[in-house]
Amino acid sequence: MHAAFFLLLGGALARFLLRHPGEARTPWIIALSVVLAVLYVLGPALGPGRGTRPTPRRITWLALVVAVWVVLVVLAPSFAWCAVPLFYTGLRTLPARAALVLIGVLTVFVVAAQLRLAGNFDPNLLLAPPAVAALATAVFVHMERQAERQRALIDDLRRTRRELAATERREGTLAERQRLSMEIHDTLAQSLSSQQMLLQAADRLWDADPERARAHVRTAESVTERGLVEARRFVHDLAPADLAGGGLDEALRTLAARESESGLAVRFHAEGTPAPLPDRVESALLRIAQGALANVREHADATAAAITLTHLGDQVVLDIADNGRGFTPEPPREGGVRGHGLPAIRARTRQLGGTLTIESAPGEGAVLSVAIPLEAS
């Protein structure tokens, strides 16, 4: 639009100089054309246009531009069509009603100038300028509405992105808190529970059977030592300490031997061809085994348990069976991602895209089976 203004201004000046050479008004026409061009260039330096309240300086600038143009049109009607870019200048500078009034005034001058150039009445010259003014106004209003919609959409998109980022951060924080809660429950809490049981047993036997009591204390000391190692490893990188010395098979074998020391006979058996597993799968399965054996020790009143790890190529299956009192499995609760024992096992299994199966009945022991697909891990 700026380029169109200067083209129209230059064309009108050239037309006047070609048709009216050497007239007394020519210097005035040239001077006013230069002044109008300079004023038009100064417009962007006076602040933004539409979208903010016009400043007094900008209104004064627009008044000067229109006044110089009116004088030019009175002196040389060929400058009339410079009004078209001025329509847009008014629409961008003034409020809607004031801009429409200005466009109406400019259109009247354009009609008068065209009739003056024609020398006689022509309906075309009477109707064409208002039609052009209406078309220019409609195009501008449509563009402004489209721009406003686009700005609103961009604002909504930015707000949605901010809300999504905040939601993801919040969900990530909750997931990490849940994971840490399960890690602490399956390591430090179980270690402290074992120590408590051993020390209570030692206290009961201290007078009647000092040797057995001391054995319980030594076992509690060993559990404390392992718990300390686990805590240091947990702080270091949150990986199970038992996995530091070998793979999952060796860690489960060590877990079975350790649990057998507390009066529960636990055996470990591996089936299939062992294959390297992702770290998070090994860590989760070890934690699941620890949590399951903790439940067996504290609630099942069992004398024997078995851990079976089966490598099936496309998945790995962990089974923990016991000969305890059994129970009636309950369906998982919606949103039950926090807690201890079975809720934690369900959460770990779900995080790896696996399935958890529990088979039990009162008086018939229990079998817990976790199948993890290796493709999803």
Side-chain angles (χ1 to χ4, degrees):
M1 193 55 60
H2 296 327
F5 174 81
F6 286 107
L7 286 174
L8 290 170
L9 180 63
L13 180 60
R15 182 179 186 277
F16 177 82
L17 294 177
L18 289 173
R19 296 194 176 190
H20 308 279
E23 290 190 8
R25 56 179 172 163
T26 299
W28 289 102
I29 297 295
I30 296 174
L32 288 172
S33 298
V34 173
V35 170
L36 181 59
V38 172
L39 283 173
Y40 193 89
V41 169
L42 291 177
L46 298 177
R50 194 173 182 85
T52 60
R53 191 171 182 176
T55 62
R57 286 195 306 169
R58 190 164 179 84
I59 294 177
T60 302
W61 164 80
L62 180 60
L64 287 174
V65 169
V66 172
V68 173
W69 174 82
V70 168
V71 174
L72 270 173
V73 172
V74 171
L75 293 177
S78 57
F79 285 89
W81 287 109
C82 291
V84 176
L86 294 182
F87 292 163
Y88 289 97
T89 303
L91 287 167
R92 289 186 59 82
T93 302
L94 300 174
R97 292 183 179 180
L100 292 177
V101 171
L102 175 62
I103 291 173
V105 172
L106 295 177
T107 304
V108 169
F109 274 93
V110 173
V111 171
Q114 294 304 304
L115 292 175
R116 180 180 164 191
L117 281 174
N120 53 13
F121 179 77
D122 185 346
N124 245 358
L125 299 178
L126 183 64
L127 298 176
V132 172
L135 179 61
T137 303
V139 169
F140 179 86
V141 170
H142 176 72
M143 291 173 61
E144 282 292 297
R145 288 176 178 173
Q146 291 293 102
E148 186 63 31
R149 291 192 189 100
Q150 186 178 24
R151 284 192 291 269
L153 288 174
I154 292 174
D155 290 342
D156 288 343
L157 178 60
R158 289 175 176 169
R159 182 170 58 254
T160 302
R161 290 179 63 183
R162 288 195 297 267
E163 292 174 355
L164 179 61
T167 301
E168 289 178 346
R169 287 194 296 269
R170 184 164 56 251
E171 290 179 351
T173 300
L174 292 176
E176 184 65 11
R177 290 176 61 184
Q178 173 200 341
R179 188 177 71 86
L180 293 178
S181 173
M182 292 188 299
E183 291 284 343
I184 292 173
H185 169 261
D186 292 340
T187 56
L188 302 182
Q190 290 184 19
S191 176
L192 292 174
S193 175
S194 298
Q195 294 172 41
Q196 182 184 33
M197 294 174 62
L198 289 167
L199 292 176
Q200 287 175 346
D203 183 62
R204 290 193 299 268
L205 297 173
W206 195 263
D207 294 327
D209 193 346
E211 288 301 320
R212 287 185 61 191
R214 291 189 181 91
H216 286 318
V217 171
R218 288 192 294 271
T219 303
E221 181 183 7
S222 176
V223 172
T224 303
E225 182 180 358
R226 287 194 299 271
L228 182 59
V229 172
E230 187 75 41
R232 288 170 177 169
R233 183 73 176 183
F234 180 78
V235 172
H236 182 260
D237 59 1
L238 301 181
D242 290 336
L243 292 174
L248 179 61
D249 291 33
E250 186 62 30
L252 292 175
R253 187 173 285 104
T254 302
L255 174 65
R258 185 164 63 240
E259 291 294 332
S260 297
E261 297 175 0
S262 60
L264 175 67
V266 181
R267 61 182 179 84
F268 169 74
H269 177 65
E271 295 183 355
T273 303
L277 299 176
D279 291 343
R280 69 193 193 103
V281 172
E282 289 190 339
S283 177
L285 290 177
L286 178 58
R287 295 304 188 211
I288 288 172
Q290 290 173 337
L293 289 178
N295 284 346
V296 172
R297 185 176 60 249
E298 296 177 15
H299 307 296
D301 194 22
T303 59
I307 303 174
T308 304
L309 182 67
T310 306
H311 299 271
L312 298 177
D314 60 342
Q315 66 176 346
V316 60
V317 179
L318 176 68
D319 298 311
I320 297 96
D322 69 79
N323 64 349
R325 67 182 66 178
F327 63 98
T328 302
E330 296 181 358
R333 298 177 181 178
E334 290 295 329
V337 296
R338 291 189 59 115
H340 306 303
L342 289 179
I345 293 174
R346 286 193 181 97
R348 291 184 189 278
T349 305
R350 186 167 53 251
Q351 288 171 359
L352 294 174
T355 57
L356 171 64
T357 304
I358 301 175
E359 298 178 2
S360 182
E364 298 184 6
V367 178
L368 181 148
S369 179
V370 175
I372 305 297
L374 298 182
E375 299 83 14
S377 60

